[in-house]
């Protein structure tokens, strides 16, 4: 897939398309903005094709995904559309000669939902408005429910004849008034979903819910206005408001989970520089948006900044930290002419870069695109749920209608109440709470242990994992290097022993911000107060200073320090090979070497043993060399290890395992892990890893403890056992109460009480998952 900004410009000015009705949507057709959420390719026929990523809102069930897909496919020029209900995203392939991005968003809005480009600003404002409105609906429902419950209490606790008829009518009128805001405002999403389903000729969970709410309100209103009439004298405003409150609370928690994941992803994208200092031909410079960078531009990148584009160094040397892109834990040296990638961090010295690839062409954006593609795929479990949702809901409606028809002949005054009782008792309240209540409880327990669950439904998948892929750097090992060995190559005054050599090197390292200097300082708790003079640092080489006697010392690479060739045993014994070495040498020959390597995270070995005991197959994935990956795998007794892994090869490895029938989990921390985290059946990210990786993870291990991974899998397995118990109880309740309701032996208040009791039992049992 190749980017084509020129093609985008042509698409925006295509004479065959019409301007959007909403002027604000016209901004989406700007070629520069399209580059931020649209990729361009050429199909087999040589025609330009665009793929745009949209973030959606207003989705409450799996059927919504199909509704939005059909709305997008109805737009002329749309080749294909893939909508993920879990991720609330859409990936749309469209013909720039026939349509525009604004037409895609307009189609989603006409379907009753909302959409925005996968950008931070509009999507963030969209989430804020959606969250505010959902919170207000929940507040109104719960506030009115509590008032209605207080007004309904006397009718439940009063004995025969204790409650005067006029007082009972007054309480009913008060309940009716308090139910109006719930019906008109809080229950609005259910009725809109009902109307949308009718318009699209599809059925969703909103259909029986809306019918049950409407019938209950109409029948209760009839009993309030005319207690001696056809509807009788019983009212059930308390059941109505309670039912709406419970459903809105569940949707609120689901909405928060979606918004948290979206905000995390946007934070990751914000980590890329939004501006760059572009050098001009006259020697000056200007600050421009990174979207305006083009091939051939020269940009200046300061020390500590991220590279805004892929390119080549025009000067140097420097060091580049690519840990979150390639998985390489050691900052890599770069000299003039070497390639650098967008998103990597310049940690050596200020440099000038000639831009070769910018915007959507960069390697960073390619990784994000892989992640988006994997995340937009609808899971097979969601498709199975779609197939069963329709028949189940039609069965519920048929039961209620059949009961009303039969009882209209047997006892017309009881027909409505029997239908309402059937709708209430068959409404899957306890059944719907069986899974989310348990998963919320489990997520709370894991959060207290330092594991943040971002997608609750992933716990079911985690419980069934049988193959786990583990990233190396930052996951099993610490992201920073540590000192593992000090060797005296030429002892002398000040370097009499290893402790003295470390103290001298740590004191000199205080003058540098290089990662290896930081590791030296970390290894020496209290560096000796050496009076270094004339200290200077040469980027890419090391430090140079003089001691009080005027002797020159150098700390840095072997060549810079003048240490000469290494020992023969270093090459003969591969166990002595380390990722990095620093040399300290004086002009009189005194010399010491410091070897650095990755350190295992605390508890990593115990965690691997526990995972194997759970029956999981483990595979190590690493961007480091094959030798280092194999060495760590042997240390931890991991059977499979893959070194020099790229984002695409990691994705291929997971896809191959899934194709073989395995349920795959992935543990990672870098930007390069984000696509495979999104593709895996279940994913875990370390808390200190890249934001883009954390956004795609189902579980974030905030404390960076490998044992938290073991706790998460164990909790997921225990939670699913509780889910099965809850499902058995909910099914048993429905199996017992549905015949009673159909026979007219279960009044609506009994159905409402049974629904509340079954729901309470499910919730109480679910709390055990947090232990």
């Amino acid at each position: 897939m190749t980017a084509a900004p020129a093609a985008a410009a042509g698409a925006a000015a295509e004479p065959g398309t019409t301007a959007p009705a909403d002027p604000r949507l016209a901004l989406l057709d700007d070629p520069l903005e399209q580059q931020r959420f649209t990729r361009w390719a050429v199909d087999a026929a040589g025609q330009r094709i665009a793929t745009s990523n949209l973030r959606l809102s207003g989705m409450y069930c799996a059927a919504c995904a199909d509704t939005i897909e059909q709305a997008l496919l109805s737009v002329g020029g749309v080749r294909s559309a893939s909508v993920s209900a879990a991720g609330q995203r859409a990936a749309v392939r469209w013909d720039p000669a026939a349509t525009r991005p604004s037409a895609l968003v307009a189609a989603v809005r006409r379907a009753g939902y909302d959409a925005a480009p996968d950008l931070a600003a509009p999507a963030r404002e969209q989430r804020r408005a959606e969250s505010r409105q959902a919170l207000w609906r929940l507040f109104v429902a719960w506030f009115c429910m509590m008032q209605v419950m207080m007004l309904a209490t006397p009718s439940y606790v009063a004995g025969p004849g204790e409650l005067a008829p006029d007082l009972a009518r007054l309480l009913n009128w008060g309940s009716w008034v308090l139910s109006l805001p719930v019906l008109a405002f809080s229950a609005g999403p259910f009725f809109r979903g009902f109307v949308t389903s009718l318009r699209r000729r599809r059925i969703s969970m909103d259909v029986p819910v809306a019918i049950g709410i409407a019938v209950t309100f109409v029948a209760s209103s009839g009993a309030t206005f005319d207690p001696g009439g056809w509807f009788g004298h019983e009212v059930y405003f308390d059941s109505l408001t309670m039912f709406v409150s419970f459903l809105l609370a569940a949707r609120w928690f689901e909405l928060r989970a979606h918004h948290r994941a979206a905000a995390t992803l946007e934070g990751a994208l914000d980590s890329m520089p939004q501006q760059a200092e572009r050098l001009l031909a006259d020697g000056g410079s200007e600050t421009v948006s990174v979207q305006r960078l083009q091939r051939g531009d020269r940009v200046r990148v300061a020390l500590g900044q991220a590279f805004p584009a892929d390119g080549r160094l025009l000067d140097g040397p420097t060091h580049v930290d690519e840990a979150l892109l390639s998985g390489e834990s050691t900052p890599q040296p770069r000299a003039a002419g070497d390639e650098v990638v967008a998103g990597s961090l310049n940690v050596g010295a200020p440099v000038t870069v000639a831009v070769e690839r910018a915007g959507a062409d960069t390697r960073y954006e390619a990784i994000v695109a892989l992640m988006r593609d994997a995340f937009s795929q609808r899971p097979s479990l969601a498709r199975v749920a779609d197939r069963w949702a329709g028949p189940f809901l039609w069965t519920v409606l048929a039961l209620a209608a059949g009961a009303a028809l039969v009882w209209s002949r047997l006892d017309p005054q009881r027909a409505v109440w029997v239908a309402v009782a059937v709708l209430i008792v068959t409404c899957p309240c306890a059944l719907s709470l069986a899974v989310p209540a348990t998963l919320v409880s489990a997520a709370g327990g894991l959060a207290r242990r330092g594991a943040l669950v971002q997608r609750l439904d992933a716990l079911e998948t985690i419980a069934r994992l049988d193959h786990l892929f583990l990233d190396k750097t930052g996951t099993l090992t610490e992201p920073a290097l540590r000192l593992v060995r000090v060797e005296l190559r030429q002892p002398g005054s000040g370097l009499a022993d290893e402790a003295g050599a470390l103290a001298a090197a740590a004191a000199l390292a205080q003058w540098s911000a290089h990662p290896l200097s930081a590791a030296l300082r970390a290894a020496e708790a209290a560096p000796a107060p050496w009076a270094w003079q004339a200290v200077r640092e040469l980027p890419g080489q090391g430090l140079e200073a003089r001691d009080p006697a005027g002797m020159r010392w150098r700390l840095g690479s072997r060549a810079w320090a003048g240490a000469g060739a290494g020992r023969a045993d270093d090459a003969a014994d591969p166990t002595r090979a380390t990722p990095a070495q620093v040399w300290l040498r004086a002009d009189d020959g005194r010399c010491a070497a410091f070897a650095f390597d990755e350190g295992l995270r605390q508890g990593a070995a115990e965690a691997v043993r526990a995972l194997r005991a759970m029956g999981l197959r483990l595979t190590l994935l690493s961007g480091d060399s094959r030798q280092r990956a194999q060495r760590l795998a042997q240390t931890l007794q991991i059977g499979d290890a893959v070194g020099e892994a790229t984002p695409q090869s990691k994705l291929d490895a997971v896809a191959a395992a899934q194709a073989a029938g395995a349920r795959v989990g992935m543990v990672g921390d870098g930007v390069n892990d984000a696509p495979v985290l999104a593709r895996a059946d279940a994913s875990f990210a370390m808390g200190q890893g890249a934001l883009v990786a954390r956004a795609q993870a189902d579980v974030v291990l905030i404390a960076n403890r490998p044992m938290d991974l073991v706790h998460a899998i164990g909790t997921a397995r225990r939670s699913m056992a509780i889910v099965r118990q809850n499902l058995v109880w909910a099914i048993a309740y429905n199996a017992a109460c549905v015949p009673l309701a159909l026979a007219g032996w279960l009044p609506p208040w009994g159905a409402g009480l049974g629904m509340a009791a079954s729901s309470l039992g499910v919730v109480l049992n679910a709390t055990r998952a947090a232990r």
Side-chain angles (χ1 to χ4, degrees):
M1 183 172 290
T2 59
E14 183 63 40
T17 59
T18 59
D22 187 350
R24 291 173 296 181
L25 292 182
L27 296 175
L28 305 181
D29 300 329
D30 179 71
L32 183 62
E33 291 301 317
Q34 287 184 27
Q35 293 185 40
R36 303 180 63 186
F37 64 94
T38 301
R39 288 174 292 145
W40 298 85
V42 178
D43 62 11
Q47 185 176 5
R48 295 190 301 270
I49 298 298
T51 301
S52 296
N53 295 96
L54 304 176
R55 183 172 296 282
L56 308 171
S57 66
M59 300 177 63
Y60 297 107
C61 64
C64 298
D66 187 71
T67 300
I68 295 176
E69 282 185 1
Q70 295 302 320
L72 290 169
L73 292 174
S74 67
V75 178
V78 172
R79 297 289 187 88
S80 65
S82 176
V83 178
S84 169
Q88 292 198 341
R89 291 171 176 243
V92 188
R93 295 182 68 249
W94 51 279
D95 182 359
T99 189
R100 300 179 177 185
S102 58
L104 307 180
V105 175
V108 174
R109 292 180 178 177
R110 287 194 300 270
Y113 305 91
D114 201 1
D118 204 351
L119 306 175
R124 185 162 50 247
E125 183 61 31
Q126 173 184 304
R127 289 197 312 273
R128 186 181 296 110
E130 184 181 25
S131 178
R132 185 186 302 113
Q133 187 177 49
L135 188 59
W136 269 111
R137 294 186 190 278
L138 181 62
F139 169 76
V140 170
W142 277 87
F143 179 80
C144 293
M145 179 198 71
M146 290 186 291
Q147 308 308 312
V148 171
M149 291 297 293
M150 287 192 295
L151 296 178
T153 300
S155 63
Y156 287 111
V157 301
E162 293 181 358
L163 187 62
D166 57 344
L167 181 57
R169 292 196 63 183
L170 180 61
L171 294 175
N172 290 345
W173 273 100
S175 298
W176 180 81
V177 171
L178 289 168
S179 298
L180 289 177
V182 177
L183 184 76
F185 178 65
S186 296
F190 307 122
F191 290 110
R192 281 199 301 273
F194 173 77
V195 172
T196 301
S197 297
L198 293 183
R199 186 185 301 122
R200 297 285 176 178
R201 297 181 179 181
R202 298 183 60 86
I203 192 168
S204 67
M205 286 294 292
D206 288 333
V207 173
V209 170
I211 292 177
I213 293 173
V215 171
T216 302
F217 180 79
V218 170
S220 296
S221 297
T224 299
F225 298 150
D226 186 10
W230 190 63
F231 291 102
H233 65 281
E234 296 288 347
V235 298
Y236 300 98
F237 295 113
D238 52 344
S239 297
L240 184 151
T241 54
M242 178 179 63
F243 184 50
V244 173
S245 299
F246 283 166
L247 288 180
L248 288 178
R251 291 191 174 185
W252 165 252
F253 286 117
E254 181 182 359
L255 185 68
R256 288 290 301 273
H258 288 315
H259 286 183
R260 185 170 56 247
T264 306
L265 174 59
E266 288 166 5
L269 299 180
D270 287 342
S271 65
M272 279 288 291
Q274 300 301 311
Q275 298 177 335
E277 183 183 1
R278 181 165 61 187
L279 302 182
L280 304 176
D282 60 4
S285 64
E286 61 177 347
T287 301
V288 298
S289 167
V290 294
Q291 302 297 325
R292 294 293 181 184
L293 292 179
Q294 299 179 356
R295 180 182 176 87
D297 286 345
R298 295 178 301 129
V299 296
R300 180 182 294 124
V301 182
L303 178 64
Q305 288 186 347
F307 290 95
D310 293 353
R312 292 188 180 277
L313 292 179
L314 296 177
D315 52 25
T318 187
H319 278 74
V320 177
D321 184 357
E322 298 179 351
L324 296 181
L325 287 170
S326 67
E328 175 58 54
S329 57
T330 307
Q332 299 298 300
R334 294 289 186 270
D338 289 344
E339 182 178 352
V340 292
V341 296
S344 58
L345 195 63
N346 179 23
V347 297
V351 292
T352 303
V353 178
V355 174
E356 294 185 345
R357 292 177 299 276
D361 286 346
T362 63
R363 177 181 171 188
Y364 182 93
E365 289 294 337
I367 292 175
V368 173
L370 283 173
M371 171 198 65
R372 286 172 174 162
D373 288 344
F375 197 55
S376 296
Q377 297 173 2
R378 184 184 296 184
S380 58
L381 186 60
R383 292 192 293 268
V384 173
D386 291 345
R387 288 198 298 268
W388 283 100
F392 171 77
L393 296 175
W394 279 117
T395 302
V396 170
L397 297 178
L399 281 174
L405 180 62
V406 171
W407 278 95
S408 65
R409 296 179 179 274
L410 299 177
D411 188 352
Q413 290 190 353
R414 301 181 62 189
V416 173
W417 292 123
V418 169
V420 171
V422 172
L423 278 174
I424 293 176
V425 81
T426 56
C427 193
C429 187
L431 198 62
S432 62
L433 286 173
V435 176
T438 305
L439 299 186
V440 167
S441 179
L446 287 173
R448 289 192 292 272
R449 296 187 180 98
L452 176 62
V453 180
Q454 298 199 115
R455 280 176 279 276
L456 296 179
D457 56 354
L459 289 174
E460 179 183 3
T461 306
I462 293 173
R464 297 185 291 110
L465 291 179
D466 49 34
H467 193 164
L468 192 62
F469 287 82
L470 301 164
D471 179 52
K472 183 179 74 68
T473 303
T475 301
L476 294 176
T477 63
E478 295 288 353
L481 296 176
R482 64 181 179 87
L483 181 68
V484 295
R485 191 168 60 250
V486 179
E487 296 182 2
L488 295 178
R489 297 302 174 95
Q490 183 64 45
S493 176
L495 300 183
D497 52 24
E498 295 179 358
L502 177 58
L508 184 53
Q510 291 181 348
W511 294 83
S512 173
H514 193 278
L516 293 180
S517 295
L520 276 173
R521 296 194 300 270
E524 179 65 15
W530 282 60
W532 295 111
Q533 302 172 0
V535 179
R536 67 188 185 103
E537 182 175 12
L538 274 70
Q541 300 294 327
L543 288 163
E544 181 181 279
R546 294 184 180 273
D547 61 20
M551 180 65 65
R552 186 181 67 172
W553 294 72
R554 283 186 172 183
L555 177 70
S557 64
R558 184 199 301 267
W560 166 251
R567 291 180 176 177
D569 57 358
D570 287 345
D573 185 3
T575 63
R576 297 175 62 88
T578 56
Q581 281 188 322
V582 169
W583 296 77
L584 176 66
R585 185 179 183 278
D587 283 350
D588 61 2
R590 287 174 288 171
C591 183
F594 306 88
F596 301 84
D597 202 350
E598 297 171 306
L600 282 177
R601 284 193 182 274
Q602 184 177 2
E606 294 82 353
V608 169
R609 286 196 296 268
L611 293 172
R612 288 202 310 268
M614 289 180 171
L616 292 169
R617 177 184 175 184
L618 304 180
T619 298
L620 179 67
L621 295 178
S622 175
D624 284 347
S625 66
R626 292 185 176 87
Q627 292 180 344
R628 293 174 61 186
Q630 289 288 348
R631 184 175 62 180
L632 181 64
Q634 293 174 1
T635 301
L636 296 177
Q637 298 181 355
I638 297 176
D640 301 325
V642 179
E644 301 178 6
T646 64
Q648 186 61 54
S649 64
K650 290 183 178 182
L651 198 61
D652 293 341
V654 168
Q658 290 172 325
R663 291 180 289 271
V664 176
M666 174 67 193
V667 189
D669 75 322
V671 172
N672 62 313
D673 297 322
V676 69
L677 287 171
R679 177 60 185 267
D681 298 306
S683 53
F684 307 83
M686 308 306 286
Q688 70 180 25
L691 287 173
V692 72
R694 298 203 303 264
Q696 296 314 305
D698 298 315
V699 180
V700 177
L701 306 179
I702 300 174
N704 302 302
R705 294 188 297 259
M707 281 303 297
D708 289 342
L709 173 64
V710 179
H711 293 315
I713 296 176
T715 299
R717 292 182 176 182
R718 184 174 65 255
S719 299
M720 295 318 300
I722 297 175
V723 165
R724 288 189 289 270
Q725 296 172 4
N726 284 342
L727 290 175
V728 169
W729 162 251
I731 293 173
Y733 156 75
N734 280 275
C737 293
V738 168
L740 296 177
L742 290 172
W745 295 344
L746 186 65
W749 67 264
L753 182 62
M755 181 190 70
S758 63
S759 300
L760 181 60
V762 165
V763 171
L764 290 178
N765 189 42
T767 57
R768 297 192 301 113
R771 300 174 184 173

